[in-house]
Structures are given as C-alpha cells and as structure tokens.
C-alpha cells in the first residue's frame, strides 16, 4: 500500500475518513506490510496498552488508535498463540506448535536468535591484551543439529540468552556433562546484575557416561540473563570431553504471538499441538510439515527423525555380525550371522555380499562356577551353603568349612541376570534399544551398535560386599576385589572404559585403555561396603561417520571375578571356625581381629601389632606384621603410627613425639600453567598418624575455601570426597578464569595404607616399590630424619604397583608449631614419575625428646661464701619436650685465705716428711754396703765354705763403719740418685749371694 493512500483529504467528510481508515486498516492487516501490534510496558497497576507500530520499511501515519490490552499476567494455553488484532487466543495450525507461555529451543543447526557467544581468557601467560583476546577467538559453543556443544579448550566461553518475564517462570534444559576436567556452571543475572540467590546452585552435577540429565531453575519476574558457562582445565595431554546441551525451555513469558514450525524430521498433524512428533523410520519431513513422506524402501532409507531419504548401498562384510545362539534342549549352540539392524544395505546389487550360512552345532559351554544345569537351557545358582564347579551337581561343604562366596563368569552362553547391556549415542537415536555386547562362548564381546561412534555399554550390579562368615566383625581396608581379563583389537582410535558407581550416584572412570591391547588382567580393590555398579564402555571412534568403517574393531572380556559378594555363589569351600559343641557344628563368626587356628579350627586373636588379612583367615600367617614404628588397632584391621618413635644411635636413645603434628598438614604447591597459561596449584593434605589410623586428610572437588582443613563429608558415599592419609587436588585460584571463589578438581588419594617408619638411608624398598629416601639432602643436619612410608591400593596403568608416598619429617628448631611442608627441588610437583611422591615436613616438633645429654652445667664464682651452678641447653638446641632443665644449684664455699693457709701447712709437712725419709734410706744404704763387703771378703778367704749364720752381723761394741767410709759432701739431689742406684745394686748382689748359698 502506498503511503499517500493513508493521507487525509481536507475536503472529505468525517464518515468518509472513517471508512477510509477502516478500509486501510483492513488492507494493511491483510498484507502485514506496514505495521504490527505490540504491548506497552506494564504500569504500576498492572495494565498495558496495545499499540500499532510501523514496520521499519513502511511510512504510515494513519495507524489504529491504541487500545487497552490484556492484563500483564495473561497467557495462552499450550498449543495456542495470542492473535494481537483481536487479542484472542487461537490454536496453532497443523505443522506448528506452541508452549503457550513458554519458549523452546530444540533445533541447533544454527545459533537461534537471541543467543550469543562470549569467549574470554582471563588468566594467561600471554603478555599482551591483544594476544589474550586472540587466544580464544575460535572458542565457542557449537551447534550440532539436536544439541549444542561447548568448547574443548581452556578458554572460558559463555552461552548467553536474555528473557523478560512478566511473571515468575522457570528455565529447563537437558545436558550431558561427564568430564570433570571442564567446569560447567549455569547462573542467572537479573535487572540489578546480581547472580541467583544460591551461588552453590550454579554448579551443574556430573552425569553418567553417555546419559542425559536435566537441570531446572526458577526465574523471577523481570529481565533474566541466562548464562551457560564452561571452562576447560587442560592438565598435560588429557583431552576434555565437551558439555552438551539440548531442549532449552523457558516458561513464564507473558504471551506467544506466533507458533513455532516443526523442525525437519518432525511433524504436527492436528491444530493446537504443544509439541511435534518424530517421523518414523524410512520416512522424512521438511520444516513445518503436517505429515511425513515415505521413502522408496527398496532403494532408499531414512533413520527415525530424518529430513531426507538416503540411497541404500550394496551389502558388505561390515553390515553383518555373528552371534552364539542359546542352548537348545539338546545342549547345543551354534554361530549365526545377522544383519546389523536397521538393515540399510541392498543384497540385490551385483557387488553385494550375501549373509553367510550358520555354523555347525556344538556343545554348549558349562555353567559358571557356583551354578548348575537345571535340566533346561539355562543355569541356576546353587542353594545357600552349597558349591559347584559348574559341571557337576551342587553339594554341601564338609563340616568345619564354609562356601567361599563370590561371582566368577568365564562361560558366556547367556548374559547373567545381574548384568545388562545397552547402546548409546549422543545424536544417533538408532542406537537406542540395541544390545551393546554379545555373548560368544568363552568370552563376551562388543556388539555392532548403530554406528562406529556409539558407546557399547556393559553393566554389572553388585548389591554389596562382606568378608567371610568367619570374620564378620573385620573392618579391613579391602572388603573385596573385582578382576577381569580382556583384550581390544582396533584399527582406529578405539577406547575401552572401566567405570565404578557407588550407591547409584556419579559414575567415575577408574581406568581406560586406548587402541589395541593384548590379553591382560586388571584388578580393582573394594574398600567400602556399599552397592556397586561396574561398567565397561567401548567406543570404536569418537569421530562421526556416515558409513560403517570399523565394525570389526572389537573389545573382548574373557572372565570377570568378584570376591566376597553379598548373596554370591561358591565353587569351593574354605576352613572356618567351629562352634563350641561338636566338630560337626556349623561355622561361627570369629570376632574382629581373630584368625582360625589350623589345629583346632577355633578362633584365636592375632598377636599384637599385626593386622588380619581379609582374604586369608586360616592360620597364624594370616596375621600380617605391621611395619616398623607402627601398631595395630584393637580390631587388627589396620596399622597406624601412634606419633611416637624411638631410635638407638651411638648408645644413645632418641625418642620422638609427633603428637603436635598429628593434625592435617597442608601444602599449596605452584603455581603451574597449562599450555594456554591457565594458572593452577597442586594442593596436598597430609595426615601422619591421627586417631588409631583414622584417615583425616580430606580432599574434595568443587570446594569453595581451600583454607578449611577440617572439611566434613556430607555423606561417606560422596564420590567427590577423598578421605585418606595423603590426598591431592588441583586448585584453580579465585582470580583465575573469572571465578569468584577457588575451585578444586581431580581429587585423588596418594596414600591409604600406612607401612611404617624408618630413619633415612640411601634407598629402601617400600613393599615392591623402590623409593629414594635422600631426596632432601642437608649438609648441616645432625639429627637424623624420620621417614613415614605410605602406599595407595589403587592400581593404574602408569603405576602397576600402586602409588607410594614418603613424608620426611625433619627436626628444625627454627620452625615452631606445625612448621613447613615442601617438595623436592628436583620434583617441583612432588613426584618425578607420577607414582612416588615425596614431602618434607620441617618443624621443631619433629626434634627428639630432650635428655640429660642435651644440657651441661656452668659453675659460677664464689661470692660471700656461696657458689651457683647453672644448667643450659647445648647449642644449637635440637630437642623438644622430654626432661626439663634442672633448677640452679647453690652451695656454700670458703674464702681464698683459708685455703692458702691450709695449702702452706700441707706443703711444709710434706717437705719435712720427704727429708726424714731421705735420711733414713741413706743411712740404711750405708749399712747394707758394709755387710756386703764383709760377705765378699769372707767368701774369698774360704772357698766353698759357707760363712756362719752370724758372720755378717756387726759384733757387739763394733762401730758402724759405713758412716765413716761413705761420709762425703754430696748434695741432697746427688745423694738421692746414688741411694737409688745403690739400692738396686744391693738387691742384685743379695740375690746372687742367695743363689750361691
């Protein structure tokens, strides 16, 4: 319509003008080219007006007058829309749908109108701001038809949508979030740019592998800005699996002025529809279809929900697979070949392959251990208390024994009743309802699936675990174990996952294997008595394929064995404890920490400082000694350190008391950076001993305050919490990536078993793990370090023997209290190989207890008749607690003049005594010389004639000639020398004389 037709002619009458306006309005409404209707904002009374608004390309001055509109809270029902001209709700036409007061986004070929992507990189090692922006230019949420996929890198990308609500509403969406290496948060900002009331609600929970979950959040009236934000944390070469979102539905909009056309592959065949139906298989539809169109099934096919038909290709060996049939009444089975369903290939083409014929019938495999053949084509479990190897009838255990309960699957004719199999694909519905794994006699193998990137899933449910009947009260760290033998044969980038779900909560990937793997065994330890679901998932490739290329890639599991299963079956018996009546009595449970004595089959407590092996309770050898410096708890279920230790060095006993270090010590190590510069820290919690081995170190994912050391688990079943002796988390600081609080992920246990305490040596063997104990050299160390050794029972592919942890506790008097914890300079992340971790804990509390060898005394001067003796510590002081310094000692003392007098008197007396002795021995010597000369002369005059007995004596009245002959003027010193010489000579002469006599 031309603009001049809307102009008012001055000569026209009022009626003519009104007629022209009415005609023009009718024509404009019909053509819908010049204007459209909108509602004004609601006023304070909740009212609004309907006004006509010119379209951008139209020039029209004769618009309809405003009129009162519907109340602000008005909305149409599902399947209806508000026709603005007459403000009435009308039904949607066939081929369209409406939610009434909601908006739904289920088509993601392109980013729908109103959505926007914002990529940021708020913490990076790149220096310039320009480079920071460029580093995330290619990061965004990407549409993929039925869903939208998040970024896979370590940029922060937000998917944003703004909606204005006239009344309270809600937002609902479905999502898949399986990788904790990426943060996924959903939050809302209102008109005042404030986030939702509870910031904890913004963290979206992880989903099981290959399963969709839903998220629902209430919305307030007014403008709400919705944010779906993801941030990848790339550590090493680990690939982040993206977040998937689909079917975003927003309820609470005031009205819907139009209906939405059905997306391709769906249809709506009647007016007033609130949703569209999916086209069946071998049919298709275009956008806004009222019905689906059939394909020519002989030459073309279409999957469910297709938008077009596809030509059928010729059949090849990738279009069929083999299965083993169930046992028939004759106990026979055979290999048969089946087309992969749905069959899309053609057999009538010249180059097409035919389905191979079935194989020969063979004997069915025997029943699994613990089961027996019930006379039909299936196997039944043995009754309680009975056993079977699978080939014979069940029989009771002998007296004094009990069944060794568990599950062992090594023959695969039918799928066990506690196992199920399925197929899942994110955007491939033809996988739904298909079997993921097929039994194959001596193994079970991955099935065909619907496409090469399907997840082929096998689940095993275990209701719980318990130790043998004879040790019901035991509380050991290992309640059971699951072991399986497998292999993968792949030509592409296949992956097999082994996952564990505790109490039907989040499923966590325990281990994964990529590409071809030779036949091997894997074991996982169970330490918690709970309901478990074990899952094996096999994917041939993660790339979408239009045709089957890797159908021959396969994963095989030969056997699965689970021990100590609640309500399990048995193939063998083991000795058990007898009751107090007769030898044929039933088994009785032994108390915790008791083993079964071989001679009497009676319960007997394990010796002190040993712990009981759950899997071996027969004989004293089942009590395993604790390591050096460790003790066992009352139940003999675990070993621990009581925070005391003694060591004999150089005949001196060093005693340690680490009680003040028994709390949890923490270490934040870093920062480190990812390939794009994301800053992160390694956070460790260490518990040396605790209360009888209680594992006090706790690490958790998505914590908001890493300074809280005593985090309490809401539930022991929470898979995001790790309670152990040493644990590790990766911390993203609050100033990184725009996060307002610190976040944690990848929490895991480094040490759940205490092995013992040793002093430092160059190298030692920790179980079967060799560890270097001199990772922290110190040339100034005089007190030896104390090493606490731990290990982790979790086995990984890089660490076949498990992880080991060494905590070196060093005496450092300069660091009081808790001291400091550090890692080796050669291994800045605490480990050099990812399997053995080293920590240094320096503290004054690590010094030995003080003894009398650690102090010395100092005597003071004598003052006023008193003397003080003080006691001081040796420097440097390297001891703590122990004995205290003795009090100073005060004793009486004499003056110096008194002692000088005493000394002079003693000296004078000694001098007189020496002079007297000298004179005496000198005179005695003269007499001996005279007697000797007389004896010599007598001997010469009368040979061979002995003198009379008294011939040598001095006659009465005879003078002593010695004094006359030997009187001389020698000095006193000379006389003493001569006296000594003469005495010697006299003794010799006297001896000779006696010999002659």
């Amino acid at each position: 319509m031309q603009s001049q037709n809307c102009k008012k002619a001055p000569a026209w009458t009022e009626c003519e003008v009104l007629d022209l306006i009415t005609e023009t309005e009718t024509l404009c409404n019909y053509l819908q080219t010049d204007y459209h209707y909108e509602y004004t904002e609601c006023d304070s009374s909740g009212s609004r007006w309907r006004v006509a608004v010119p379209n951008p390309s139209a020039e029209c001055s004769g618009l309809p007058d405003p009129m009162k509109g519907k109340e602000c809270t008005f909305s149409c029902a599902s399947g209806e829309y508000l026709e603005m001209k007459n403000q009435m709700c009308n039904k949607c036409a066939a081929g369209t749908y409406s939610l009434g007061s909601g908006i739904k986004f289920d088509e993601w070929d392109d980013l729908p109108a109103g959505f926007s992507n914002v990529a940021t990189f708020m913490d990076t090692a790149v220096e310039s701001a320009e480079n920071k922006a460029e580093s995330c230019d290619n990061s965004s949420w990407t549409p993929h038809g039925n869903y939208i996929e998040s970024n896979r890198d370590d940029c922060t990308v937000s998917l944003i949508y703004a909606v204005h609500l006239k009344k309270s509403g809600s937002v609902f969406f479905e999502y898949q979030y399986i990788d904790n290496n990426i943060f996924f948060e959903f939050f809302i900002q209102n008109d005042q740019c404030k986030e939702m009331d509870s910031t904890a609600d913004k963290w979206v929970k992880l989903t099981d592998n290959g399963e969709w979950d839903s998220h629902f959040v209430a919305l307030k009236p007014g403008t709400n800005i919705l944010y779906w934000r993801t941030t990848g944390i790339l550590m090493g070469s680990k690939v982040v699996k993206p977040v998937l979102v689909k079917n975003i539905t927003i309820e609470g909009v005031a009205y819907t002025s139009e209906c939405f056309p059905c997306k391709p592959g769906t249809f709506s065949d009647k007016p007033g529809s609130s949703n569209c139906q999916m086209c069946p298989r071998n049919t298709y539809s275009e956008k806004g279809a009222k019905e689906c169109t059939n394909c020519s099934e002989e030459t073309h096919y279409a999957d469910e929900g297709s938008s077009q038909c596809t030509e059928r290709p010729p059949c090849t060996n990738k279009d069929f697979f083999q299965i083993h049939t169930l046992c028939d009444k004759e106990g026979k089975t055979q290999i048969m070949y089946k087309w992969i369903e749905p069959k899309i290939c053609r057999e009538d083409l010249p180059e097409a392959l035919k389905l191979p014929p079935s194989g020969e019938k063979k004997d069915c495999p025997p029943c699994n251990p613990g089961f027996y053949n019930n006379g039909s084509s299936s196997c039944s479990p043995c009754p309680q208390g009975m056993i079977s190897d699978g080939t014979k009838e069940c029989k009771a255990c002998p007296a004094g024994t009990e069944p060794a309960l568990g599950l062992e699957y090594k023959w695969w004719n039918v799928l066990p009743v506690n196992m199920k199999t399925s197929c899942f694909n994110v955007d491939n519905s033809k996988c739904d309802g298909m079997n993921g794994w097929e039994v194959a006699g001596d193994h079970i193998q991955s099935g065909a699936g619907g496409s090469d990137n399907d997840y082929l899933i096998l689940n095993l449910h275990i209701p719980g675990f318990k130790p043998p009947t004879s040790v019901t009260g035991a509380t050991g760290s290992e309640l059971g174990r699951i072991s399986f033998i497998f292999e993968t044969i792949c030509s592409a980038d296949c992956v097999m996952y082994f996952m564990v779900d505790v109490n039907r909560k989040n499923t966590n990937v325990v281990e994964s294997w990529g590409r071809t793997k030779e036949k091997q065994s894997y074991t996982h330890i169970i330490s918690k008595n709970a309901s478990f679901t074990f899952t094996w998932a096999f994917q041939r490739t993660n790339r979408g394929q239009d045709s089957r290329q890797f159908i021959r890639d396969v994963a095989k599991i030969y056997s699965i064995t689970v021990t100590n299963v609640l309500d399990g079956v048995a193939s063998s018996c083991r000795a058990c404890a007898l009751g107090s009546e007769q030898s044929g009595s039933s088994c009785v449970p032994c108390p915790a920490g008791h083993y079964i004595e071989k001679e009497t089959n009676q319960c007997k407590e394990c010796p002190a400082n040993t712990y009981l092996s759950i899997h071996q309770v027969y004989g004293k050898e089942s009590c395993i000694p604790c390591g050096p410096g460790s003790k066992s708890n009352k139940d003999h279920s675990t070993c621990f350190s009581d925070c005391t230790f003694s060591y004999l060095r150089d005949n001196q006993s060093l005693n340690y008391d680490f009680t003040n270090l028994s709390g949890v010590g923490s270490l934040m190590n870093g920062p480190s950076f990812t390939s794009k510069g994301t800053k992160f820290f390694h956070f460790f919690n260490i518990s040396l001993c605790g209360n009888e081995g209680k594992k006090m170190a706790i690490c958790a994912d998505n914590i908001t305050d890493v300074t809280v050391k005593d985090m309490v688990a809401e539930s022991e079943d929470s898979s995001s919490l790790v309670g152990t002796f040493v644990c590790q988390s990766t911390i993203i600081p609050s100033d990184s990536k725009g996060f307002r609080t610190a976040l944690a992920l990848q929490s895991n246990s480094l040490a759940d078993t205490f092995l013992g305490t040793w002093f430092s040596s160059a190298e030692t063997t920790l179980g079967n793990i060799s560890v270097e104990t001199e990772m922290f050299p110190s040339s100034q160390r005089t007190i030896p370090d104390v090493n606490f050794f731990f290990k982790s029972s979790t086995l990984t592919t890089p660490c076949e023997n498990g992880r080991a942890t060494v905590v070196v506790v060093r005496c450092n008097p300069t660091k009081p209290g808790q001291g400091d914890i550090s890692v080796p300079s050669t291994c800045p992340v605490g480990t050099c190989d990812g399997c053995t971790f080293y920590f240094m804990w320096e503290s004054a509390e690590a010094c030995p207890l003080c003894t009398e060898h650690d102090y010395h005394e100092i005597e003071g001067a004598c003052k006023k008749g008193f003397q003080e003796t003080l006691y001081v510590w040796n420097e440097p002081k390297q001891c703590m607690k122990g004995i205290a310094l003795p009090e100073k000692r005060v004793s009486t003392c004499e003056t110096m003049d008194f002692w000088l007098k005493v000394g002079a008197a003693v000296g004078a007396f000694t001098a007189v005594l020496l002079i007297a002795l000298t004179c005496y021995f000198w005179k005695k010597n003269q007499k001996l010389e005279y007697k000797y000369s007389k004896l010599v002369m007598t001997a010469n005059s009368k040979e061979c004639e002995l003198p009379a007995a008294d011939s040598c004596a001095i006659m009465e009245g005879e003078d002593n000639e010695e004094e006359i002959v030997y009187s001389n003027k020698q000095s006193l010193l000379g006389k003493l020398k001569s006296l000594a010489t003469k005495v010697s000579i006299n003794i010799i002469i006297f001896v000779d004389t006696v010999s002659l006599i």
Side-chain angles (χ1 to χ4, degrees):
M1 182 180 295
Q2 301 297 324
S3 60
Q4 59 267 23
N5 293 335
C6 294
K7 293 180 180 179
K8 184 178 180 181
W12 291 348
T13 65
E14 183 176 353
C15 291
E16 290 175 333
V17 172
L18 292 175
D19 291 341
L20 181 59
I21 292 175
T22 303
E23 181 182 353
T24 303
E25 180 179 352
T26 303
L27 184 59
C28 287
N29 284 339
Y30 177 77
L31 296 177
Q32 294 182 353
T33 56
D34 284 353
Y35 67 93
H36 62 276
Y37 291 108
E38 291 183 4
Y39 279 130
T40 62
E41 292 292 332
C42 295
D43 55 25
S44 58
S45 63
S47 301
R48 58 185 173 183
W49 292 81
R50 189 203 71 174
V51 297
V53 180
N55 293 328
S57 59
E59 296 180 3
C60 191
S61 58
L63 296 175
D65 295 332
M67 65 180 301
K68 193 172 182 64
K70 292 285 187 181
E71 60 272 15
C72 291
T73 57
F74 172 82
S75 61
C76 296
S78 297
E80 298 179 344
Y81 73 99
L82 180 63
E83 202 283 311
M84 292 291 291
K85 178 181 178 182
N86 52 22
Q87 300 190 77
M88 297 291 293
C89 291
N90 295 335
K91 289 186 177 182
C92 291
T96 63
Y97 74 97
S98 168
L99 300 178
S101 62
I103 309 172
K104 185 175 182 179
F105 301 96
D106 58 356
E107 188 175 354
W108 298 93
D109 295 321
D110 297 305
L111 201 63
F115 282 89
S116 61
N117 266 307
V118 176
T120 58
F121 201 87
M122 304 182 118
D123 183 22
T124 179
V126 183
E127 295 182 357
S128 66
E130 181 180 354
N131 288 335
K132 288 183 182 180
E134 291 177 356
S135 64
C136 290
D137 282 348
N138 297 324
S139 300
S140 66
W141 286 77
T142 308
H144 284 275
N146 293 327
Y147 62 90
I148 186 169
E149 177 183 290
S150 73
N151 59 306
R152 296 171 181 255
D153 54 23
D154 50 354
C155 292
T156 299
V157 183
S158 298
L159 179 68
I160 305 174
Y161 184 79
V163 60
H164 187 79
L165 301 183
K166 302 299 183 183
K167 59 182 179 179
S168 297
S170 63
V171 58
F172 169 88
F173 61 90
E174 296 179 67
Y175 70 95
Q176 187 179 120
Y177 174 32
I178 62 176
D179 193 344
N180 62 359
N181 289 298
I182 189 168
F183 287 117
F184 179 33
E185 49 185 333
F186 174 74
F187 60 94
I188 303 163
Q189 289 183 342
N190 57 22
D191 292 332
Q192 289 77 35
C193 290
K194 294 181 179 179
E195 286 194 17
M196 50 203 303
D197 295 337
S198 176
T199 56
D201 293 339
K202 72 177 184 178
W203 299 111
V204 183
K205 296 180 180 179
L206 289 168
T207 62
D208 293 341
N209 194 38
E211 295 187 6
W212 291 91
D213 204 346
S214 60
H215 193 75
F216 175 90
V217 178
L219 300 178
K220 296 179 179 180
T223 300
N224 292 269
I225 305 175
L226 314 180
Y227 290 84
W228 292 263
R229 187 164 71 175
T230 57
T231 304
I233 308 299
L234 302 182
M235 304 296 180
S237 59
K238 203 163 188 178
V239 178
V240 171
K241 295 183 180 179
V243 176
L244 311 180
V245 174
K246 68 177 183 180
N247 295 337
I248 299 177
T249 303
I250 303 174
E251 293 282 355
V253 294
Y255 64 92
T256 300
S257 59
E258 61 181 353
C259 297
F260 302 100
C262 293
K263 67 178 182 178
T266 62
F267 71 100
S268 172
D269 58 352
K270 60 178 75 172
S273 296
S274 59
N275 54 37
C276 299
Q277 304 176 50
M278 192 172 291
C279 286
R281 196 178 304 278
N282 292 325
T283 65
Y284 74 98
S285 70
E286 297 179 350
K287 190 171 186 177
K290 300 178 181 179
E291 61 181 8
C292 299
T293 305
N294 291 323
C295 297
S296 176
E297 294 191 18
E298 294 183 358
T299 59
H300 291 76
Y301 74 97
D303 294 328
E304 186 179 12
S306 295
S307 60
Q308 61 182 0
C309 295
T310 305
E311 186 177 358
R312 294 182 180 272
C315 292
T316 66
N317 60 358
K318 297 179 180 180
D319 292 304
F320 60 85
F321 63 98
Q322 69 178 30
I323 62 169
H324 286 68
T325 63
L326 298 177
C327 286
D328 56 22
K329 295 181 179 180
E330 300 176 353
K332 299 290 185 180
T333 183
Q334 66 180 143
I335 295 177
M336 295 186 64
Y337 296 89
K338 293 180 61 177
W339 294 112
I340 295 175
E341 296 294 340
K343 182 183 176 184
I344 61 173
C345 64
R346 294 178 59 182
E347 299 180 65
D348 57 346
L349 296 176
E351 64 272 26
L353 292 180
K354 302 294 183 180
L355 194 67
S358 301
E360 297 181 0
K361 287 191 173 183
K362 298 181 180 180
D363 291 337
C364 290
C367 295
N368 282 306
F371 292 81
Y372 72 99
N373 193 321
N374 57 12
S376 63
S377 59
S378 60
C379 297
S380 299
C382 287
Q384 186 176 2
M386 305 187 75
I387 63 169
S388 173
D389 62 357
T391 61
K392 302 176 183 178
E393 295 293 327
C394 299
K395 62 179 181 180
C397 286
T401 63
E402 64 176 351
L405 296 181
L407 292 174
E408 183 179 2
Y409 301 121
K410 62 179 182 179
W411 300 110
W412 303 92
N413 186 56
V414 294
L415 197 67
V417 293
N418 60 341
M419 299 184 73
K420 67 177 183 178
T421 177
S422 59
C423 177
F424 173 80
N425 194 304
V426 174
D427 56 348
N428 182 17
S429 59
K430 65 183 180 181
C431 177
D432 298 342
M434 297 184 64
N435 288 337
W437 292 68
E438 301 284 350
V439 294
D442 65 342
H443 67 274
I444 183 172
Q445 66 182 26
S446 55
S451 62
D452 286 346
N453 64 340
D454 292 341
Y455 286 98
L456 308 175
I457 299 172
L458 178 67
N459 301 109
L460 169 63
H461 179 67
I462 302 297
F465 293 84
K466 71 172 185 177
T469 304
S470 300
V471 287
T472 303
T475 57
S477 60
E478 180 180 335
L479 291 178
R481 59 177 62 190
I482 177 171
S483 303
F484 56 93
I485 299 175
F486 73 99
E487 71 172 335
T488 56
I489 304 171
C490 300
S491 59
D493 54 340
C494 72
V495 180
M496 188 172 105
Y497 301 92
F498 174 63
M499 297 168 283
V500 175
D501 179 289
V502 182
N503 287 340
R504 299 187 180 275
K505 299 209 171 178
N506 292 333
T507 300
N508 296 319
V509 176
V510 175
E511 194 59 85
S512 62
W513 300 269
R515 300 189 177 274
T516 298
K517 295 297 179 184
E518 297 181 353
K519 193 173 181 179
Q520 58 186 279
S521 175
Y522 180 80
T523 299
H524 178 70
I525 305 299
I526 307 299
S527 58
K528 181 183 297 183
N529 194 3
S531 172
F532 280 79
T533 299
F534 302 103
T535 302
W536 294 264
F538 180 71
Q539 186 183 40
R540 293 182 170 90
T541 179
N542 61 3
R543 302 188 300 268
Q545 303 287 336
D546 295 332
S547 60
R548 304 302 300 271
Q549 301 181 22
F550 308 113
I551 186 65
R552 299 304 173 193
D553 291 1
V554 65
K556 298 180 180 181
I557 297 178
Y558 292 90
S559 67
I560 301 175
T561 304
V562 192
T563 64
N564 292 342
V565 176
L566 187 68
D567 299 330
V569 295
S571 61
S572 62
C573 301
R574 58 185 164 201
C576 65
L578 297 177
S580 59
E581 298 87 6
Q582 303 295 328
S583 60
S585 62
S586 60
C587 294
V588 297
C590 287
H594 286 63
Y595 67 95
I596 304 171
E597 195 174 32
K598 291 183 178 180
E599 291 76 13
T600 62
N601 274 19
Q602 299 294 321
C603 299
K604 189 172 182 179
E605 186 176 2
C606 282
N609 298 330
T610 63
Y611 68 95
L612 181 65
S613 170
I614 294 298
H615 291 281
Q616 173 61 39
V617 296
Y618 189 60
K620 190 174 181 179
E621 59 270 19
S622 60
C623 299
I624 303 173
C626 294
S630 61
K631 299 180 179 180
S632 62
N633 58 0
K634 295 179 181 179
D635 294 337
H636 295 278
S637 60
T638 186
C639 296
F640 67 97
S641 170
D642 62 356
C643 282
T644 61
F645 189 68
S646 297
Y647 175 66
L648 186 63
R649 185 188 70 164
D650 299 333
N651 295 325
Q652 178 183 349
S653 179
L654 296 179
N655 299 308
Y656 293 83
D657 184 358
F658 303 114
T659 304
N660 289 341
L661 300 181
S662 61
V664 178
S666 299
L667 168 66
M668 182 81 81
N669 186 37
S672 300
F673 297 89
T674 62
S675 58
K676 284 192 174 181
T678 301
K679 183 169 64 176
F680 66 94
F681 295 84
H682 291 292
F683 178 71
F684 301 94
N685 271 334
I686 301 174
S687 173
L688 285 180
C689 34
N691 181 18
E692 292 200 354
K694 181 180 179 181
K695 302 169 185 178
M696 300 174 61
I698 297 177
C699 294
D701 291 347
N702 293 336
I703 60 176
T704 58
D705 186 4
V706 296
T707 63
V708 178
K709 306 300 190 303
D710 54 347
M711 291 178 293
V712 178
E714 295 179 1
S715 170
E716 291 185 359
D717 299 329
S718 178
S719 58
S720 64
L721 291 174
V722 176
T724 183
F725 287 110
V726 182
C727 62
Q728 176 191 28
S729 294
T730 301
I731 303 297
I732 310 299
S734 58
D735 59 349
S736 177
K737 297 289 187 180
F739 295 125
R740 299 182 181 179
T741 56
L743 302 176
L745 72 161
Q746 300 176 352
S747 297
N748 55 74
S749 171
L750 304 181
D752 54 24
T753 303
F754 177 68
L755 294 183
T757 309
W758 286 272
F759 273 93
S760 295
S761 58
E763 185 174 337
T764 188
T765 299
L766 181 64
N768 52 357
I769 305 173
S770 180
V771 297
E772 179 69 34
T773 60
E774 288 294 338
M775 295 293 290
F776 303 92
S778 175
S779 59
Q780 301 177 354
R781 182 182 54 192
T782 58
I783 300 297
D785 295 334
V786 180
N787 296 321
F788 284 75
F789 287 168
F790 305 87
K791 76 172 184 178
S792 174
S793 58
T794 302
L795 305 180
T796 61
T797 301
C799 308
E800 296 181 354
N801 296 321
R803 292 190 179 100
T805 301
V806 181
V807 181
V808 180
V809 182
R810 175 170 293 178
C811 169
N812 191 334
T814 63
K815 297 182 178 180
Q818 285 281 310
D820 295 329
I821 300 177
S822 61
V823 295
S825 57
T826 55
C827 304
V829 295
T831 179
C832 296
D833 57 4
C835 297
T836 306
F837 291 77
Y838 299 92
F839 301 94
M840 165 70 74
W841 195 331
E842 293 183 272
S843 171
E845 298 292 338
C847 296
L849 299 180
C850 296
T851 65
E852 63 273 7
H853 299 286
D854 294 306
Y855 64 84
H856 61 277
E857 64 179 29
I858 300 177
E859 293 185 349
C862 186
K863 296 180 180 180
K864 298 181 180 180
F866 294 95
Q867 184 182 31
E868 291 184 349
T869 302
L870 300 178
Y871 298 90
V872 295
W873 295 112
N874 299 333
E875 291 295 338
K877 181 186 176 185
Q878 293 185 320
C879 66
M880 289 291 292
K881 295 181 280 190
I883 65 172
L885 277 177
E887 297 290 337
K888 69 178 179 179
R889 181 166 51 88
V890 180
S891 59
T892 60
C893 62
E894 301 292 341
T895 61
M896 186 60 66
D897 294 339
F898 171 79
W899 289 110
L900 286 176
K901 293 177 181 179
V902 172
V906 172
F909 174 77
T910 304
V912 172
L913 180 61
L914 287 176
I915 294 172
L917 290 174
T918 302
C919 294
Y920 170 77
F921 283 112
W922 175 75
K923 188 174 182 180
K924 191 74 174 176
N925 183 56
Q926 300 299 321
K927 291 181 180 182
L928 288 175
E929 286 182 355
Y930 174 76
K931 290 178 182 181
Y932 175 73
S933 61
K934 287 288 187 180
L935 182 61
V936 171
M937 288 188 295
T938 303
N940 290 335
S941 61
K942 296 180 180 181
E943 291 184 4
C944 302
E945 188 176 321
L946 293 174
D950 57 346
S951 61
C952 291
I954 299 176
M955 301 303 294
E956 186 179 352
E958 186 178 3
D959 295 331
N960 189 355
E961 298 178 0
E962 294 176 27
E963 298 178 5
I964 301 172
V965 175
Y966 293 97
S967 177
N968 53 44
K969 298 181 179 179
Q970 289 182 334
S971 63
L972 179 61
L973 181 60
K975 290 179 180 181
L976 291 174
K977 289 182 178 179
S978 62
L979 174 62
T981 304
K982 290 176 181 179
V983 170
S984 300
I985 295 173
N986 291 338
I987 293 173
I988 295 171
I989 294 173
F990 177 75
V991 173
D992 290 342
T993 304
V994 173
S995 300
L996 289 173
I997 294 172

